[in-house]
Amino acid sequence: MRERSGSQTITVVEERLEGEQSAPEPVASLTLKKKSVAERRREVKAVIRWRRENGEHRKSPNAASLLLAALRESLLARVEAETAVVLRFQRYFAFNYYTRLYFVIYTTLFDEVCYTALFPCVAWTMSPIAGVHLGFFVALSFYAGSSLKDLLHLPRPPVPPVFRPATHLDLEFGCPSTHAMNAVLIPAALTLFYVRPHSLAELFTVSPLSSLLVVLALVWLAANVSLSRVVLGFHTPTDIWAGLALALVLLGVSVYFDLAAQLAHCLVHVRSLLVPAGVILAGVLMLVVYPLRGMNNPAFVDLIGVVCASAGYFLLLWALGVRDEHVPFADAFTSSSLSALSLWQRAQLGAARTVVGVVVLLLGKSLSRYLSTRALTLLLWLVIPAQRLSVAQRESVALFGSKCVAYLTLGLLTHLCNHSLFEMIHL
């Protein structure tokens, strides 16, 4: 604001953009035409919008934001320096088609499609309670990892010179690696579910060789998944180490407080309405309290699917209860009626349940997504005037709502198959 001679005071805001990296700054300039209130409001909103998009929405940064900025600067220097390391890994390991295929298989094991399919298969073949453990750990992993990605906003290795087979993740930040986190947390969740009736020390005492082989298999899986992310150019070693460290912290806290078992106990045995209310509130908070919400953010889109599928499964399990007397591999914990079947017969039963269940899930998810998209689009046009929401905004809202409905349906159908459908068709 600058005051000229006389009674007239002229306020001018000039937006100065130097490329894409400079912010619009309020700069005083001498213009003879006085700007209207609406123009000044638009200019102020533009400045605020830029600062929010670039993480500068706080007028005075607090200690947490300063610490985060310092951490980002140090990690950014490491990520830039490790591009040469990624190129060396690619030269040594991805030198022909078969080695690349080997690492592609490992990295695909923890893609969205695979863990979305693994979640119902575990509930159908191992135990419905194992599905609770898996859904809890995957939702926790994705929320913590994706939030930290969007807070640090560290880039992935540059292409070129790095080779990367998939380009759809270029819009997603790199550190930490959620694949590395899931490679630790998902096997650990299933292993801890099986060993929970016993202590780890007791297992190593009774069967040391088997316990050692299980530990080595888990380490081998996590190491190969982590290595595949570097070899295929998706992450730097710093991203991998950050993901593994965060996964071990989350695993230690969850095991110490027995969070997954406490959740399963509440869903099965507590009949209070506070349980489903808490599940819904936790899911809403995970989507609302997120650094960069938007359907153009792949990390946020993946988080929607994980949170909604887990919430749908938890809610219907609480409403209908658990019936695992016909689950093929559940008799280690319950008095299953299938204890007389051989291992091969149980495997056949589990495969049949999986095939039928996956067909039901695909049909239910596709139908619910189609119907919800059409219904939400029509509802937005009827309720909200065209002047308030653009066509792109309406499409984004409809896409978000249909994604939530589709994955909620997937979670609901997962337990409905276990509870009713398989019994109706004698599986």
Side-chain angles (χ1 to χ4, degrees):
M1 181 179 296
R2 183 171 178 175
E3 187 173 342
R4 300 182 64 190
S5 60
S7 61
Q8 183 183 14
T9 300
I10 299 177
T11 304
V12 179
V13 177
E14 178 186 0
E15 293 182 2
R16 184 176 56 190
L17 298 175
E18 299 175 359
E20 293 183 352
Q21 301 298 324
S22 61
E25 299 176 1
V27 179
S29 67
L30 296 176
T31 59
L32 299 178
K33 183 179 179 181
K34 188 174 181 179
K35 293 190 177 181
S36 65
V37 177
E39 288 175 330
R40 282 181 285 175
R41 284 179 179 174
R42 281 196 296 270
E43 290 169 346
V44 172
K45 286 182 179 179
V47 174
I48 295 174
R49 190 184 308 114
W50 189 95
R51 288 176 176 173
R52 283 178 177 172
E53 291 172 354
N54 292 271
E56 298 181 5
H57 55 280
R58 291 187 179 90
K59 203 169 184 179
S60 58
N62 53 23
S65 61
L66 291 175
L67 180 62
L68 189 63
L71 178 62
R72 181 186 182 276
E73 291 300 323
S74 62
L75 290 176
L76 182 60
R78 290 180 61 89
V79 168
E80 292 174 347
E82 286 176 348
T83 302
V85 178
V86 176
L87 290 173
R88 256 196 315 271
F89 270 90
Q90 292 189 332
R91 192 180 308 118
Y92 293 153
F93 292 102
F95 54 85
N96 60 30
Y97 170 78
Y98 297 103
T99 55
R100 284 199 298 270
L101 180 61
Y102 174 82
F103 288 114
V104 166
I105 291 173
Y106 268 103
T107 199
T108 306
L109 290 176
F110 293 94
D111 281 345
E112 181 189 7
V113 176
C114 287
Y115 60 68
T116 304
L118 177 66
F119 169 61
C121 292
V122 166
W124 295 335
T125 58
M126 286 178 55
S127 171
I129 305 302
V132 174
H133 283 244
L134 185 60
F136 170 78
F137 275 102
V138 171
L140 181 65
S141 168
F142 266 86
Y143 180 75
S146 299
S147 298
L148 195 54
K149 275 184 183 181
D150 290 337
L151 285 172
L152 295 175
H153 47 90
L154 295 174
R156 293 179 183 268
V159 178
V162 173
F163 164 76
R164 186 153 57 237
T167 58
H168 67 281
L169 293 178
D170 291 346
L171 296 175
E172 185 180 341
F173 297 115
C175 184
S177 169
T178 49
H179 274 70
M181 294 179 64
N182 289 327
V184 172
L185 290 175
I186 291 177
L190 302 180
T191 304
L192 290 173
F193 171 74
Y194 265 118
V195 304
R196 192 173 181 275
H198 314 280
S199 65
L200 293 176
E202 180 185 351
L203 286 176
F204 274 96
T205 303
V206 174
S207 181
L209 181 60
S210 300
S211 303
L212 181 61
L213 290 176
V214 169
V215 171
L216 291 177
L218 296 179
V219 172
W220 175 266
L221 177 63
N224 277 273
V225 172
S226 302
L227 182 61
S228 71
R229 301 302 288 176
V230 178
V231 171
L232 297 177
F234 290 105
H235 291 289
T236 62
T238 296
D239 301 341
I240 301 299
W241 289 118
L244 294 175
L246 182 58
L248 291 176
V249 170
L250 294 176
L251 181 63
V253 172
S254 302
V255 171
Y256 182 80
F257 293 102
D258 210 4
L259 297 179
Q262 296 293 336
L263 174 62
H265 173 79
C266 292
L267 293 174
V268 175
H269 299 291
V270 179
R271 295 291 91 195
S272 172
L273 290 175
L274 293 176
V275 175
V279 170
I280 296 173
L281 179 62
V284 170
L285 287 177
M286 291 176 79
L287 297 180
V288 172
V289 186
Y290 188 81
L292 291 178
R293 298 184 302 275
M295 297 307 292
N296 58 348
N297 183 1
F300 182 68
V301 174
D302 289 346
L303 181 67
I304 293 172
V306 171
V307 169
C308 291
S310 300
Y313 180 75
F314 296 163
L315 290 174
L316 199 63
L317 187 143
W318 176 84
L320 299 181
V322 176
R323 297 177 62 180
D324 56 1
E325 61 269 15
H326 299 295
V327 178
F329 299 99
D331 64 328
F333 315 100
T334 61
S335 56
S336 173
S337 60
L338 305 176
S339 56
L341 296 182
S342 64
L343 182 62
W344 173 245
Q345 290 172 322
R346 296 189 193 191
Q348 288 179 316
L349 179 60
R353 291 166 70 102
T354 300
V355 170
V356 172
V358 167
V359 171
V360 172
L361 290 188
L362 291 177
L363 291 175
K365 179 186 171 185
S366 302
L367 182 61
S368 63
R369 189 160 196 169
Y370 175 81
L371 294 177
S372 60
T373 302
R374 298 298 182 272
L376 286 171
T377 304
L378 179 61
L379 184 63
L380 288 173
W381 281 108
L382 292 176
V383 175
I384 302 178
Q387 295 81 4
R388 296 187 59 184
L389 281 181
S390 64
V391 175
Q393 289 174 328
R394 293 174 188 276
E395 291 178 352
S396 179
V397 172
L399 182 60
F400 172 77
S402 63
K403 178 93 174 179
C404 293
V405 172
Y407 278 89
L408 275 171
T409 304
L410 188 144
L412 294 171
L413 289 177
T414 296
H415 188 62
L416 188 63
C417 288
N418 230 1
H419 188 271
S420 304
L421 178 63
F422 293 148
E423 185 177 359
M424 290 171 57
I425 59 178
H426 305 289
L427 282 179

